[in-house]
Amino acid sequence: MSSIQRTRLAGLQNAWGAGIRQSWSGPWWRRSASLLLLLFGFFIGSNLPVYILDAVELRTYTAFYALIACELMVLGRRRLPWLDNLRLGFVYAVVLEAFKVGS
């Protein structure tokens, strides 16, 4: 018998825990590839806007190109499921850069 009562919050925690366990289960190379893709997405997301800003010199276009890159990753995730980890790292880096800039 579990010490946690059957509430909606407990059900939500169990569902999230099962999702995390499922995404990190499997062989070691799959877990390390997931982590490397997250880090690579973060690297791209933190460096790509700087280079686009230098090339185009307009912040509006930089945000637009970042949005296009993110949407292309969403479209391609049915064929390539590993793009989700890349996209998560990319979006996290772009949001972190926005907080740094203060916008």
Side-chain angles (χ1 to χ4, degrees):
M1 185 167 166
S2 171
S3 64
I4 299 176
Q5 296 180 357
R6 290 186 182 183
T7 62
R8 284 184 281 174
L9 179 61
L12 185 64
Q13 287 175 341
N14 288 336
W16 282 357
I20 290 172
R21 269 184 263 125
Q22 183 181 9
S23 66
W24 287 98
S25 64
W28 65 269
W29 56 267
R30 186 174 297 155
R31 290 189 301 265
S32 62
S34 296
L35 185 62
L36 284 174
L37 283 168
L38 278 169
L39 293 173
F40 187 64
F42 182 80
F43 178 75
I44 290 172
S46 61
N47 289 324
L48 187 66
V50 174
Y51 292 122
I52 291 176
L53 185 61
D54 288 341
V56 179
E57 296 183 6
L58 293 173
R59 291 185 182 179
T60 306
Y61 290 127
T62 304
F64 180 67
Y65 291 142
L67 177 68
I68 287 175
C70 187
E71 289 298 321
L72 287 174
M73 284 188 259
V74 168
L75 287 174
R77 72 179 178 182
R78 287 191 182 187
R79 291 185 181 165
L80 305 169
W82 51 267
L83 278 177
D84 277 339
N85 289 333
L86 190 70
R87 181 176 53 95
L88 284 173
F90 179 79
V91 169
Y92 179 73
V94 169
V95 169
L96 188 65
E97 289 292 324
F99 279 123
K100 283 188 211 175
V101 172
S103 58

